[in-house]
Amino acid sequence: MLDRNRRIKPHPERFQSCKDSFEVIITAEEKVYDQVMEDFQSREQTTYQPVHVVNIEIQDNHDEATLGAFQVLDLCTMMECSGDLEDDIDEILQDFEQKYDREVYHSIAFY
């Protein structure tokens, strides 16, 4: 896994150090999801722009990572096709859970 990671990103990344804003943040481990949510709770909100934080638990091995990557891509495609993500997100996540038999955590945070 480390060799693959070295090929696709130049260095480890910390969400807490990132100053960009996103509409959706997807994590693949509950611990990371919790860290993202804690970071948002500790930040001072300035723009009140909403962000959907979604966790899909993916085991840290080659097979699960490959399968999980395709599933996350499918979820992103479903979100991208939505005409109104704010109204459609609950249904999209429910459809995803049923399709892949995976539990999804979802919270809304604000910048």
Side-chain angles (χ1 to χ4, degrees), residues 16-110:
Q16 295 86 341
S17 301
C18 181
K19 301 301 179 201
D20 297 331
S21 294
F22 303 95
E23 293 180 37
V24 177
I25 297 170
I26 298 176
T27 62
E29 183 179 350
E30 186 176 358
K31 179 179 125 183
V32 177
Y33 173 82
D34 291 340
Q35 290 172 339
V36 169
M37 292 308 299
E38 285 175 23
D39 183 64
F40 273 108
Q41 291 170 357
S42 69
R43 291 183 184 193
E44 181 179 336
Q45 287 142 357
T46 55
T47 66
Y48 295 95
Q49 174 190 343
V51 56
H52 295 276
V53 183
V54 177
N55 183 70
I56 302 168
E57 195 69 26
I58 299 173
Q59 293 177 1
D60 197 10
N61 64 55
H62 289 288
D63 293 338
E64 279 293 313
T66 301
L67 180 62
F70 285 110
Q71 292 174 354
V72 168
L73 175 61
D74 189 32
L75 177 60
C76 291
T77 302
M78 294 164 73
M79 289 182 191
E80 184 70 26
C81 291
S82 167
D84 186 348
L85 187 58
E86 297 299 320
D87 285 341
D88 299 341
I89 187 95
D90 290 332
E91 186 176 337
I92 290 169
L93 294 176
Q94 188 175 33
D95 290 348
F96 179 86
E97 285 179 322
Q98 290 174 351
K99 182 176 182 178
Y100 292 109
D101 194 29
R102 284 193 183 264
E103 184 177 9
V104 175
Y105 298 148
H106 170 246
S107 295
I108 299 175
F110 296 90

